Amino acid sequence: MNQFFRKRISKLDLIVLRIVGIYLAFGLLWIFATDSALFSLISSYEEFSILNTYKGVAFIFVTALLLYSLFRRTLKKQQSIEQSLQASEERWKFALEGSGDGVWDWDIPSDHVFRSARWSEIYGYAENEIIATAVAGRELVHPDDLAILISDVQNYFAGNSNVYISEFRLRCKDGSWKWTLARGMTVSKSADGKPLRMIGTHTDITNRKRSEAQVTHLAHYDQLTGLPNRVLFLDRFKQDIKKAQRTGQIVTLMFLDLDKFKEVNDSLGHDIGDMLLKDVARRLENCVRDSDTVARMGGDEFTIILNDINSQVNIERIAQDILNQLTMPFHLGDEVIHVSTSIGISNYPKDDTEVELLLKNADQAMYVAKEQGRNRYQYFTPVMQEEALKRMRLISDLWGALNDNQFRVYYQPIVELATGAIFKAEALIRWQHPTRGLVGPNDFIPVAEDTGLIVDIGDWLFNEVASQMVKWKQHYPNLQVSVNKSPVQFRSVHDNCSNWIERLEQLGLSGENFIVEITEGLLLDARDSVVSQLNAFREAGMKIAIDDFGTGYSSLAYLRKFDIDFVKIDRSFTSNITPNSSDMVLCEAIIEMSHKLGMKVIAEGVETDEQRDLLRNADCDFAQGYLYSKPITVDQFEQLLNATQSNFTLN
């Protein structure tokens, strides 16, 4: 019964009924009590009538005082309640809007929504400009996010979460979109547990979302070219392979490495190199479809994923188009750059089914393309895997070769053509492998350069030659020995130039007894560190020779720029010379040019008497080759020196 009355009668009605009840009770008590008292005290009707009038007046004043007291007490209590509610509402509003959030209050049965002034301010609307319903609010939500918002509300109402939380984009008055974090909770429920009222906030998280997007972009895209980086590439490659497993399609992977990019970077600077990489990225994107992926793996390495191309003809067409596009000149500022690329290709599932193995296979194929002359594409084959394993074993063995004293120094004499006397020799390194026997430099020097081991190997070779020269300087004071110095050694962070010079000083040797042989390609590298090293060698008295002249990229301008002492004609010219042949004409031109520039000439690869005579008649200064001697050990070279001192000539 009490519950029935509480549901049917409001608090205000109860207060009024209480006052009326008190008034009725007091009135009845006054009438019955005062009338009985007057009847017992007064017998005269006239006196009773007069006193009854006074009693009525007194009743009016007493009841008025009573009503005043009751109403004053009730209104004061009501005012206190209202003030408390107002303070509570202000504290609630401050708590919700204090952080800058917009407040909303949703009456669910009627769909009426109250939105605070701060809410309107966030999205640029005037107060009450948006219809005060939840339906009108949902019309402002981005179409792509509306389903997520509705799902989050339903999950909250279903009890799947304690607090309603949702993130979505809301349209502002100016047409822009703001990312919004909505949070709320039910504050009133029906008897059967249905939500009746819900309050919450909207927080502008646009800046946070923008920052998250930037972090995601930094983590998945290359900052220089804007292409996907290795992380995103691997993720896409895995997804493409999963899709191919379901559909039975082929996935083709191309691994690209720019040819001679380091030379461009070193000679023209990193700014030009970066500009080149950007242009390369754009050209690669133009060679494939939007559904394909072009990624930058790092440095000058790129990868391309081709999906749903089952024709080898189409794959090769794309590869050839890439080669053609990248051989076209790049106009970068005032520079015109010419580069090319080498491409390795592997296919899923033919070459493997694992991402990392497919990537490794394409990488191996790319290296084969480089070895075959660059600017070409090469498919992966199982033979490449075998070669890669051999290379890995070779690298592993090289690491221990120095510590195990497996390297040997061989000397090949350089003969003065006019007299046949030996005044010079070239120090050549050989590797005495414990199981493979004597390994030539062509088999391990390229690997040593790729791994950086050439720096330590080169230092070891120079130290060995210097120590040997200490023994020879008393008997052969004018002997000069040339030592090859790789471009990798010149670019090394280790200052082995100073180490070499300091070693000579420690041993009391003169730099005049040493020749540093460099490649033509190094002349293109005009960086300060290379120039300063060459100058330091010359200041120490050492001579500079260009090895394999005619096969690289040097020009007369570079020969004039650097102070070169010797030019060594490559064996590819001398091995085929005959009277009036084109190779002979080239040799004569090189000899004449070098002499006019003040340089001596050494002909490599001399193997016959005819070659020797032709070169001597062309005024070539020195010759080196199997006609005189193959590379020999220290003891054999000393015997040769002693023999020539006795007979004076090898001619």
Side-chain angles (χ1 to χ4, degrees):
M1 183 65 71
N2 289 338
Q3 290 181 353
F4 173 79
F5 278 110
R6 285 175 185 173
K7 290 182 180 179
R8 298 296 181 184
I9 302 176
S10 67
K11 283 188 176 182
L12 180 62
D13 292 336
L14 288 173
I15 292 171
V16 172
L17 288 173
R18 189 180 295 117
I19 294 174
V20 170
I22 293 173
Y23 177 77
L24 289 173
F26 180 79
L28 292 172
L29 180 64
W30 177 274
I31 291 170
F32 290 119
T34 55
D35 285 352
S36 299
L38 288 175
F39 277 124
S40 62
L41 295 173
I42 300 171
S43 58
S44 172
Y45 178 78
E46 293 180 354
E47 291 180 358
F48 178 81
S49 178
I50 294 171
L51 289 173
N52 196 39
T53 301
Y54 290 149
K55 184 188 75 166
V57 172
F59 176 77
I60 291 173
F61 280 104
V62 171
T63 55
L65 181 64
L66 178 64
L67 287 174
Y68 169 78
S69 176
L70 288 172
F71 274 111
R72 186 175 185 278
R73 181 180 175 186
T74 301
L75 291 174
K76 188 174 182 180
K77 185 176 181 181
Q78 185 68 24
Q79 183 182 21
S80 176
I81 292 172
E82 289 178 356
Q83 289 176 346
S84 177
L85 287 173
Q86 183 177 359
S88 176
E89 182 178 351
E90 289 176 353
R91 286 194 296 269
W92 170 75
K93 184 178 179 181
F94 175 79
L96 292 177
E97 290 194 338
S99 60
D101 297 343
V103 176
W104 50 268
D105 190 333
W106 181 20
D107 184 72
I108 298 171
S110 67
D111 199 41
H112 180 273
V113 177
F114 161 79
R115 300 181 181 92
S116 69
R118 175 59 184 154
W119 187 97
S120 300
E121 180 184 343
I122 291 174
Y123 301 103
Y125 295 103
E127 288 193 47
N128 302 322
E129 182 176 353
I130 304 301
I131 299 174
T133 63
V135 172
R138 285 193 289 271
E139 290 177 353
L140 301 177
V141 177
H142 195 286
D144 294 343
D145 302 335
L146 184 58
I148 298 174
L149 168 64
I150 295 174
S151 175
D152 290 337
V153 172
Q154 292 174 345
N155 285 333
Y156 173 67
F157 284 166
N160 297 329
S161 59
N162 295 326
V163 179
Y164 160 67
I165 297 176
S166 184
E167 293 184 0
F168 49 85
R169 284 163 288 183
L170 206 71
R171 187 176 67 248
C172 301
K173 185 173 183 178
D174 61 6
S176 63
W177 297 94
K178 282 190 175 181
W179 273 102
T180 299
L181 169 63
R183 289 173 292 189
M185 61 188 304
T186 302
V187 295
S188 177
K189 292 184 177 181
S190 64
D192 56 359
K194 292 182 178 180
L196 299 176
R197 184 184 174 201
M198 189 174 177
I199 61 172
T201 61
H202 278 175
T203 306
D204 180 7
I205 59 171
T206 304
N207 290 334
R208 193 196 83 189
K209 283 290 186 178
R210 189 178 295 118
S211 298
E212 290 175 353
Q214 290 174 348
V215 170
T216 300
H217 192 274
L218 288 172
H220 294 89
Y221 288 87
D222 175 57
Q223 298 308 295
L224 177 64
T225 63
L227 296 176
N229 61 12
R230 185 183 184 91
V231 174
L232 184 55
F233 158 77
L234 291 174
D235 180 68
R236 288 188 180 179
F237 197 20
K238 291 175 183 176
Q239 297 305 319
D240 290 337
I241 288 178
K242 287 181 180 179
K243 179 182 176 182
Q245 288 173 342
R246 297 191 302 269
T247 62
Q249 296 288 335
I250 293 174
V251 181
T252 299
L253 173 64
M254 293 184 176
F255 196 108
L256 296 80
D257 186 272
L258 296 183
D259 301 325
K260 303 293 184 181
F261 173 75
K262 183 169 176 45
E263 293 180 5
V264 174
N265 217 19
D266 292 342
S267 59
L268 298 178
H270 291 282
D271 290 341
I272 295 294
D274 289 347
M275 293 170 62
L276 176 60
L277 291 173
K278 291 179 184 177
D279 280 11
V280 167
R282 301 292 80 80
R283 292 190 187 185
L284 291 177
E285 287 182 314
N286 292 333
C287 291
V288 299
R289 303 162 301 176
D290 292 338
S291 59
D292 300 322
T293 296
V294 180
R296 182 186 178 209
M297 303 298 281
D300 60 340
E301 294 180 340
F302 297 85
T303 52
I304 297 176
I305 305 172
L306 303 176
N307 293 297
D308 302 335
I309 298 182
N310 295 327
S311 169
Q312 184 173 336
V313 174
N314 290 333
I315 295 172
E316 293 177 359
R317 178 187 57 78
I318 294 172
Q320 189 59 52
D321 187 31
I322 292 171
L323 294 177
N324 295 339
Q325 289 295 319
L326 295 190
T327 52
M328 295 175 62
F330 290 83
H331 298 273
L332 307 175
D334 297 331
E335 302 289 344
V336 179
I337 309 299
H338 293 270
V339 296
S340 60
T341 188
S342 300
I343 306 174
I345 304 174
S346 64
N347 288 305
Y348 168 89
K350 175 185 175 184
D351 297 322
D352 213 288
T353 58
E354 297 295 328
V355 168
E356 291 297 337
L357 292 177
L358 286 166
L359 185 62
K360 185 182 72 172
N361 293 344
D363 188 22
Q364 292 173 1
M366 181 272 295
Y367 273 107
V368 172
K370 281 190 176 294
E371 291 172 357
Q372 291 180 351
R374 301 184 175 89
N375 191 31
R376 64 189 65 218
Y377 60 85
Q378 176 67 51
Y379 285 96
F380 171 79
T381 63
V383 175
M384 295 179 189
Q385 182 68 21
E386 297 175 8
E387 293 298 323
L389 290 173
K390 289 180 181 178
R391 179 183 171 88
M392 287 178 57
R393 295 191 188 100
L394 188 67
I395 292 173
S396 177
D397 292 345
L398 265 179
W399 281 104
L402 271 176
N403 293 332
D404 296 340
N405 197 29
Q406 295 176 8
F407 291 113
R408 304 287 184 267
V409 182
Y410 280 62
Y411 295 88
Q412 186 172 31
I414 298 174
V415 178
E416 187 178 48
L417 282 172
T419 63
I422 300 175
F423 290 107
K424 308 179 191 305
E426 180 178 0
L428 301 166
I429 193 168
R430 298 291 184 267
W431 181 10
Q432 188 65 51
H433 194 277
T435 58
R436 299 174 59 184
L438 197 63
V439 181
N442 291 338
D443 294 327
F444 70 88
I445 290 298
V447 177
E449 288 182 324
D450 290 343
T451 59
L453 278 170
I454 192 65
V455 176
D456 293 332
I457 293 173
D459 287 347
W460 177 88
L461 175 63
F462 181 80
N463 289 331
E464 288 293 309
V465 172
S467 298
Q468 186 60 47
M469 284 299 295
V470 173
K471 303 174 184 177
W472 283 343
K473 69 176 182 178
Q474 293 181 351
H475 302 288
Y476 319 109
N478 296 322
L479 181 65
Q480 287 183 318
V481 177
S482 61
V483 179
N484 289 277
K485 189 173 176 68
S486 165
V488 177
Q489 292 172 268
F490 275 97
R491 300 183 186 115
S492 171
V493 294
H494 304 290
D495 190 5
N496 50 20
C497 170
S498 298
N499 294 340
W500 286 18
I501 296 172
E502 290 173 2
R503 181 60 176 165
L504 294 183
E505 293 174 353
Q506 293 171 359
L507 298 175
L509 295 172
S510 169
E512 296 287 344
N513 294 110
F514 292 87
I515 302 172
V516 178
E517 291 194 13
I518 63 175
T519 62
E520 284 187 89
L522 186 69
L523 297 183
L524 291 174
D525 193 349
R527 67 172 72 180
D528 292 340
S529 60
V530 173
V531 175
S532 63
Q533 288 183 68
L534 290 173
N535 290 336
F537 283 137
R538 291 202 58 81
E539 290 173 3
M542 303 169 75
K543 305 299 181 183
I544 307 296
I546 299 180
D547 195 16
D548 301 331
F549 185 80
T551 61
Y553 301 91
S554 62
S555 66
L556 295 177
Y558 286 105
L559 291 177
R560 289 198 309 268
K561 180 178 179 179
F562 296 96
D563 201 354
I564 305 299
D565 299 289
F566 298 97
V567 170
K568 300 187 74 173
I569 303 176
D570 186 68
R571 67 181 65 250
S572 62
F573 297 108
T574 59
S575 60
N576 296 316
I577 59 173
T578 57
N580 301 320
S581 65
S582 59
D583 284 335
M584 187 65 221
V585 173
L586 286 173
C587 288
E588 290 173 341
I590 293 172
I591 293 167
E592 184 175 359
M593 174 199 70
S594 300
H595 286 168
K596 288 185 176 181
L597 291 175
M599 295 178 286
K600 299 286 187 180
V601 180
I602 303 172
E604 296 182 296
V606 179
E607 298 181 354
T608 67
D609 293 336
E610 181 184 22
Q611 293 168 358
R612 176 199 62 199
D613 294 339
L614 288 171
L615 291 166
R616 183 166 55 192
N617 293 335
D619 292 331
C620 183
D621 301 288
F622 300 94
Q624 175 182 352
Y626 276 31
L627 174 64
Y628 303 104
S629 173
K630 63 180 182 180
I632 53 181
T633 64
V634 172
D635 294 337
Q636 291 171 329
F637 183 65
E638 287 181 350
Q639 294 174 8
L640 188 60
L641 282 175
N642 294 331
T644 54
Q645 279 193 340
S646 303
N647 301 323
F648 191 71
T649 179
L650 283 179
N651 286 340

